[in-house]
Amino acid sequence: NISIYKDHVWIASGGKRARVFHSSDKGKTWEVFNTPILQGKAMTGIYSIDFFDEKIGIVFGGDWEHKDFNEGNKAITHDGGKTWNLLSNGKGPGYRSSVKFVPGSKGKGIVAVGSPGISYSNNQGKNWIELSTDGFYAIEFVNDSVAFDSGQNKISKLVFKE
């Protein structure tokens, strides 16, 4: 639940309060922002955060006990985390444990993975395509078009082409 871009650091929390902690000076000072992400129970909240640049960021999570529930589980910011707006509420994927912006996508491409599968959006989360129903825990890009997913006893390579 940590994202770093230049001197900026964001840390996301879950459970009783789904908040984002932000530092613009490598952790010397901090601000805290509320989010509209589902919260209040031990297994709810933000599970992943990623920032494309110092302004555009996404949080993803949901309810680990009700993984198909897709309300209040994804939100975007365009002001560095001060304000968050829900994305495709009631549509698209439910719970996901890891989210990343596709490098080189100008902040439009997003991939979210979790035990229910892999989801992709090419329009900043307004619409989603299910790429796979194979479950994974995390995703990491190695360059602008190749990412690796990790899951229980498995690794997958994803290649993104224009």
Side-chain angles (χ1 to χ4, degrees):
N1 290 336
I2 298 172
S3 184
I4 299 171
Y5 182 83
K6 296 186 179 179
D7 291 345
H8 294 265
V9 179
W10 296 268
I11 300 173
S13 68
K16 294 190 179 196
R17 296 182 73 189
R19 300 184 298 172
V20 172
F21 297 78
H22 172 250
S23 173
S24 61
D25 55 13
K26 297 183 181 178
K28 292 177 186 167
T29 60
W30 291 90
E31 337 174 63
V32 182
F33 306 119
N34 293 319
T35 73
I37 295 295
L38 184 67
Q39 55 194 294
K41 296 181 183 176
M43 302 304 281
T44 60
I46 302 169
Y47 284 89
S48 187
I49 186 169
D50 193 37
F51 271 77
F52 181 77
D53 57 23
E54 66 274 356
K55 297 290 184 189
I56 302 170
I58 187 168
V59 290
F60 227 103
D63 187 342
W64 192 85
E65 294 175 318
H66 304 283
K67 294 178 182 173
D68 290 335
F69 188 71
N70 62 1
E71 293 182 26
N73 70 313
K74 46 199 171 293
I76 196 162
T77 183
H78 290 94
D79 60 11
K82 291 178 179 67
T83 60
W84 294 88
N85 295 303
L86 290 175
L87 287 173
S88 54
N89 202 33
K91 299 181 283 185
Y95 159 85
R96 293 294 185 265
S97 56
S98 185
V99 64
K100 294 288 180 188
F101 282 99
V102 178
S105 70
K106 298 180 181 168
K108 302 287 183 197
I110 301 168
V111 182
V113 303
S115 53
I118 303 171
S119 303
Y120 170 74
S121 173
N122 63 3
N123 58 7
Q124 255 185 11
K126 293 180 182 98
N127 303 101
W128 293 89
I129 301 165
E130 296 302 312
L131 299 180
S132 173
T133 56
D134 285 342
F136 291 92
Y137 304 139
I139 183 170
E140 191 65 46
F141 278 85
V142 294
N143 59 35
D144 64 350
S145 59
V146 177
F148 286 92
D149 301 318
S150 61
Q152 185 172 353
N153 300 317
K154 61 184 168 182
I155 296 173
S156 175
K157 178 180 178 181
L158 296 174
V159 178
F160 293 85
K161 298 177 184 178
E162 288 203 26

